[in-house]
Amino acid sequence: LVIVKLVFMVSYCVGSTIQLNSTGGGTYSWAGPGGFTSTAQNPTLATSTTAMSGNYIVTVTSGTATCTATTSVTVNALPVASIAGDNTLCVNETLTLTASGGTSYSWTLPNATTSTANPYTVASVASADAGNYVVTVTDVNSCTATSSMPVTVNALPTPTIEGNLAVCTATGTTTTLVATGGDQYSWNTPATTASISNVVAGAY
């Protein structure tokens, strides 16, 4: 009497190693999907793909006695991990990164700490929050995939104003104020009717 025993996981994730185990005989002959064959007692299939899913049959021979057994293997595709969000910010803005593709999420942050929050949010970013954000996504089959997003945190500009800040009050008095520190400028004047050629005292 030949007793065949098969012991291995029946569900795998793409890229893992399928392990087939059997006992009960002197010689072994395996056959499986994609033309797979092996005479090993406990063959392995490295770097599994979804094409390796299916039935694996082993024929065990001991003397003149033979026996076969069949088991089903499923190789699950990996989740597709992605991250969405604005990754170019200024100091004090809010960072919000949202991962998708799975049922649970684990973030590795630039400061080497971790978080399972999704979306992951920093209410007021600082320069130290810049760097690479990596998320590991896990799906219902316990398969995992990762995605990353670099985050840039720009320092705030330092605005300055130069010019003649003390002028006479005569009608038509003109002064010139020059702002520096940025690429675009928007002025607020003390009165909406004021113009640079009819100076009104106050904060500019």
Side-chain angles (χ1 to χ4, degrees), residues 50-117:
T50 55
M52 294 178 182
S53 296
N55 291 328
Y56 287 79
I57 302 170
V58 62
T59 300
V60 179
T61 302
S62 180
T64 58
T66 62
C67 185
T68 62
T70 302
T71 191
S72 179
V73 170
T74 299
V75 181
N76 298 298
L78 300 181
V80 179
S82 64
I83 301 174
D86 185 0
N87 65 335
T88 302
L89 303 148
C90 296
V91 167
N92 297 331
E93 290 186 326
T94 298
L95 170 67
T96 302
L97 299 179
T98 304
S100 60
T103 56
S104 64
Y105 304 89
S106 178
W107 294 90
T108 300
L109 310 176
N111 60 5
T113 61
T114 60
S115 174
T116 57

Side-chain angles (χ1 to χ4, degrees), residues 17-180:
T17 297
I18 298 173
Q19 177 67 60
L20 305 174
N21 298 309
S22 63
T23 60
T27 62
Y28 301 84
S29 178
W30 288 89
F36 169 76
T37 60
S38 176
T39 57
Q41 178 180 350
N42 303 311
T44 60
L45 293 81
T47 317
S48 61
T49 66
T50 55
M52 294 178 182
S53 296
N55 291 328
Y56 287 79
I57 302 170
V58 62
T59 300
V60 179
T61 302
S62 180
T64 58
T66 62
C67 185
T68 62
T70 302
T71 191
S72 179
V73 170
T74 299
V75 181
N76 298 298
L78 300 181
V80 179
S82 64
I83 301 174
D86 185 0
N87 65 335
T88 302
L89 303 148
C90 296
V91 167
N92 297 331
E93 290 186 326
T94 298
L95 170 67
T96 302
L97 299 179
T98 304
S100 60
T103 56
S104 64
Y105 304 89
S106 178
W107 294 90
T108 300
L109 310 176
N111 60 5
T113 61
T114 60
S115 174
T116 57
N118 191 53
Y120 177 76
T121 302
V122 179
S124 182
V125 295
S127 58
D129 294 308
N132 203 36
Y133 288 72
V134 180
V135 66
T136 299
V137 173
T138 304
D139 66 11
V140 293
N141 298 310
S142 296
C143 297
T144 62
T146 62
S147 182
S148 63
M149 177 178 282
V151 170
T152 300
V153 179
N154 295 305
L156 299 180
T158 303
T160 61
I161 300 176
E162 296 179 355
N164 184 4
L165 304 183
V167 297
C168 297
T169 59
T171 300
T173 300
T174 298
T175 190
T176 299
L177 303 179
V178 179
T180 59

